[in-house]
Every structure is written in C-alpha cells, then in structure tokens.
Amino acid sequence: MGCSVSIVGGNHSGYGLLGDLVMEMEHHFHGVEADHASGCIRVEAGVKLQALAAKAAEAGLIVPLGTAPSVGIGLILQGGVGHLTRRLGLALDAVQSIQLVLAAGDVVTVDRESSDESKKDLFWALCGCGPNFGVVTSLELKAAQLQSFRATRHIFRLPTSTAEATTLLRDYMLRARSLTRDCCSDCCLYMADDLTEQDGMLMGIYDFNLGCDVPPMKTSAQLVLNRVDEGLDTVQLMAQEPYLCEQPAGVVQRGFLCSRFFACDAEISEAVVESLKEAPSRHCYFHFQHMGGAVADGSSAFLARDAEWSLVISAAWAEDEGDCSHWVKSVMEVLLPVALGCYATDLGPDDVDLARQTFGTHTSRLLRLKQKWDPGNMFRHGFPLSQLGQAP
Ligand SMILES: Cc1cc2nc3c(=O)[nH]c(=O)nc-3n(C[C@H](O)[C@H](O)[C@H](O)COP(=O)(O)OP(=O)(O)OC[C@H]3O[C@@H](n4cnc5c(N)ncnc54)[C@H](O)[C@@H]3O)c2cc1C
C-alpha cells in the first residue's frame, strides 16, 4: 500500500495522527469570514467550533454545530449534532461548498448545486464520510440570523426501582419527541456526585429553545436543580454542554471512551437504566443528544436521517480505578440491535464491524466514489470505508 496521509482538525478522534504524513490544519488554516448580508460563512479547516460560532455571532449569524467548543472540522465532515440541529439540521447540512486537495494532488472546489454530476457526487460523499476523500482546506456554510436562546436545566433524582426509572426515561423521550423544531431537549443519566444508596442516579434534562413555550416535564420524581439561563448566544450555548456542567469538581479521570449511535424509539429505556446500574465506575454516563426535526430534510451520505437521538455512551474512570472502556462495548452490544446505526465520527481502522452499521444502503455508492477519488486508499486512518467491500 502507498503512503498514507492523515489530517488533524480539532484532534478529538486521535485518528488524524496515524498517517505516514500527518497534516495539522490549525497552524496554517485558521481564517473565518462571516458576511451578514449574504448569510455566508467561509471557514478554514483548522478552526475550532467555538471560534467559528463566535465569528458568526459577531456578524449576527448562527450556524448549526456541535456542543463542545474545542471540536474541529472533522465534526462537520461527518455529521454535527448540536442544540440547533432540530431547527437548522446537522452541521453538514449547512455546508454549501468544500475546497479540498484530492489524492491525485488536484485542488478542487465542489458544491451542493454543482451542474457537474461527478463533483455533485463527491460533495454528497464528503458530507458524511469526508475524511476518506481528501484534505479539506476550507468550507462555505449557510447561516441563519442570530437569535438568543433560553437554556433550562432540570435535574431529577432517578427512582431506585428500575421500572420507575425506566418510566421516567421513557417519559422524557416521549416529551422530547413532541417538541417543536424550535426546541431541543437533551438528557443525561449519570451517578450522583456524592454516591450513596439513597443518592443513586440522576437524570438531567436540558432544554434549549428559541423563545417558544415548552411544556414542563411532568413527573413526581424529586427535583434537585432547576436553573434557567435567558438570552444566551451560540457561544454561551456551548458552555451549557449537558452533563459536563454537573461533573464533580476536581475528579481526575484516567481514561475516557465514548461511542455514539442513533436511536429512534423508546424501547432502549430499560436497557439504558440497567446498564448504568451495572457501570464499573460512577463516572460512566449516557447523553441523549436530541436530533429529529430538520435532520429529516437533508440529503447526503449521512444515513440516519430518521434518528431522534444520537446516544453518547461514555466511560470515564478515576486514577484509582481500572480501565472501564469495556463497559461502553458491552452496552453497544445490547443497544445496537435496536438502533438505526453507528455514527461515523468515532470509528477508526479497527472498527470494521461497527462501520458496517453506519452507511447502510449508501455504502456501495461510497465505495464506488472511494475507488474513483482515492484508489490507493491514501486517506485510510479514520472511518474504514475501503474495508467494507469492493466497489461495485
Ligand atoms: C468532547 C467531545 C465532544 C463532542 N461533541 C460532539 C457534538 O456535540 N456533536 C457531534 O456531532 N459530535 C461530537 N463529538 C464527536 C466529534 O464530532 C468527532 O470526534 C469529530 O471527529 C471530531 O473532529 P475533530 O476535527 O475535532 O477531530 P480530528 O480527530 O482532528 O478529526 C476527526 C476525523 O476527521 C478528519 N479530519 C479532520 N480535519 C480534516 C480535514 N480538514 N480534511 C479531511 N479530514 C479531516 C481526521 O483525519 C479524523 O479522521 C464530540 C467529541 C468529543 C471528544
């Protein structure tokens, strides 16, 4: 096999560091220009989400991104689920054009509306499986007018009985599904900070909305925190990252592994509650990132357009605990059979089985395009596309 190239954006996956040639985008590609009149943002590939959101806000614009400020462009090329997703779609749905260097060395710009079918096809593949096709140097994004948000955080003590806890989680899921596109409701399940049998598990419900009325969560569960922040802009919204707000202060985490997949129904509630009860460290947790809404309107290589949630299963552990990453894998085994599939962002060269559950019916088209644009598999250190079969 020939020389491989890998790219480091925000470096949240670690796969960008595995190539024979490693290209770090941050040092050379850090420009962002936002134009209020056209609603267009041009961003270079080394920029992190916080800087992008801040520049957009300065110009009175918002663009759908993820929720963590330090994440980079790898998120936009593979999906991008955040608090604006239900209203504006995934981050990749905002992309209008992409400039990249192909494996053959050509610099090309491909865009959504291109009349050249071959470039349109490449654009389709880049929006979902981008890291497999070249070195992206810049993107143009379509933005919306800036609005301010209300963030409401309700934290409930989860009933100790599995049946009651499951009902509470199911109620959250049913309520979330009924909300309008102007509201996104995330949920985290995690262990209480000062863990005793009585404290048990907590459920944090995080509503982010554009000023619409949101029905409160109806439950008899004990409310331990009720906080409302008004008038937030998109940069401040990132500081409201669910769960991390509640992390016990000063915890030294020795390791971290997370995995994401897409869910559309309520049948996973009991399995989620039981899995958390069996977690090997109290730092393990679940985060339901709310999708739905505008996600269904988009069209690209990204497959899970019917997903109502991206469920993030995270194992973290303290210095005096053993590696708990096996917990994430065992939870995935239980939940994946009833899921819509996996999220490409977390998958690397060794995750072929999970990769098979990512692009579904889009896989053969992606394989054909991979064969056309990167026949030597130069870009092979992220999502293992070429290991999923032969090009048709
Ligand atoms: C703390 C944390 C919070 C997260 N929050 C969210 C969230 O809210 N929503 C969400 O959808 N996802 C989220 N993710 C997942 C995130 O989308 C992925 O980890 C994503 O791959 C990170 O992109 P990156 O640029 O930061 O990382 P990198 O590791 O630099 O890049 C990821 C992949 O993209 C490739 N890549 C990066 N830049 C380029 C480029 N210019 N051209 C071609 N390929 C490139 C890399 O080679 C690598 O394969 C989160 C992850 C973490 C660790």
Side-chain angles (χ1 to χ4, degrees), residues 26-41:
E26 187 173 10
H27 303 298
H28 302 291
F29 297 94
H30 40 66
V32 195
E33 290 160 24
D35 177 46
H36 180 84
S38 63
C40 182
I41 298 174

Side-chain angles (χ1 to χ4, degrees), residues 347-358 383-385 387-389:
L347 305 182
D350 298 332
D351 299 314
V352 178
D353 286 344
L354 294 177
R356 288 190 203 291
Q357 305 186 54
T358 301
F383 182 84
L385 178 59
Q387 296 183 58
L388 300 186

Side-chain angles (χ1 to χ4, degrees), residues 126-355:
L126 287 166
C127 293
C129 199
N132 258 275
F133 290 91
V135 182
V136 170
T137 49
S138 68
L139 306 151
E140 269 185 15
L141 307 170
K142 184 181 70 183
Q145 299 299 309
L146 182 65
Q147 303 184 44
S148 70
F149 299 83
R150 184 193 308 140
T152 309
R153 197 181 314 167
H154 285 135
I155 298 183
F156 299 98
R157 202 169 291 288
L158 215 61
T160 43
S161 109
T162 299
E164 284 177 53
T166 300
T167 302
L168 185 57
L169 178 57
R170 201 168 280 147
D171 287 349
Y172 150 74
M173 294 175 91
L174 290 171
R175 170 182 171 273
R177 291 186 78 111
S178 72
L179 298 175
T180 71
R181 289 183 175 202
D182 279 342
C183 182
C184 145
S185 183
D186 280 19
C187 168
C188 289
L189 287 188
Y190 56 102
M191 303 292 184
D193 187 0
D194 176 20
L195 190 60
T196 63
E197 202 172 320
Q198 196 227 328
D199 282 331
M201 297 190 289
L202 298 176
M203 176 163 123
I205 296 189
Y206 307 77
D207 292 337
F208 302 95
N209 76 72
L210 291 163
C212 56
D213 282 331
V214 182
M217 174 88 183
K218 287 192 190 120
T219 170
S220 56
Q222 185 195 350
L223 185 65
V224 294
L225 184 110
N226 176 3
R227 177 177 162 167
V228 181
D229 292 294
E230 299 275 3
L232 303 176
D233 65 24
T234 39
V235 181
Q236 293 165 319
L237 213 57
M238 284 183 176
Q240 307 282 320
E241 162 82 356
Y243 179 72
L244 294 181
C245 305
E246 267 65 57
Q247 273 278 11
V251 169
V252 183
Q253 281 166 6
R254 189 153 159 246
F256 191 81
L257 179 85
C258 84
S259 214
R260 293 149 208 271
F261 72 94
F262 302 109
C264 68
D265 60 33
E267 295 316 310
I268 57 174
S269 322
E270 187 174 347
V272 166
V273 168
E274 282 185 338
S275 301
L276 190 62
K277 285 188 169 176
E278 286 159 15
S281 163
R282 72 188 188 86
H283 302 300
C284 295
Y285 65 97
F286 288 98
H287 177 183
F288 287 75
Q289 278 195 294
H290 198 186
M291 296 174 68
V295 178
D297 303 344
S299 166
S300 71
F302 182 93
L303 187 79
R305 294 281 171 187
D306 295 337
E308 191 69 24
W309 287 276
S310 164
L311 178 57
V312 189
I313 310 161
S314 298
W317 53 99
E319 220 159 6
D320 56 353
E321 294 175 305
D323 182 329
C324 297
S325 53
H326 59 90
W327 178 74
V328 175
K329 291 172 192 149
S330 63
V331 176
M332 286 289 279
E333 268 172 35
V334 174
L335 298 183
L336 251 182
V338 291
L340 291 176
C342 287
Y343 194 3
T345 75
D346 300 304
L347 305 182
D350 298 332
D351 299 314
V352 178
D353 286 344
L354 294 177

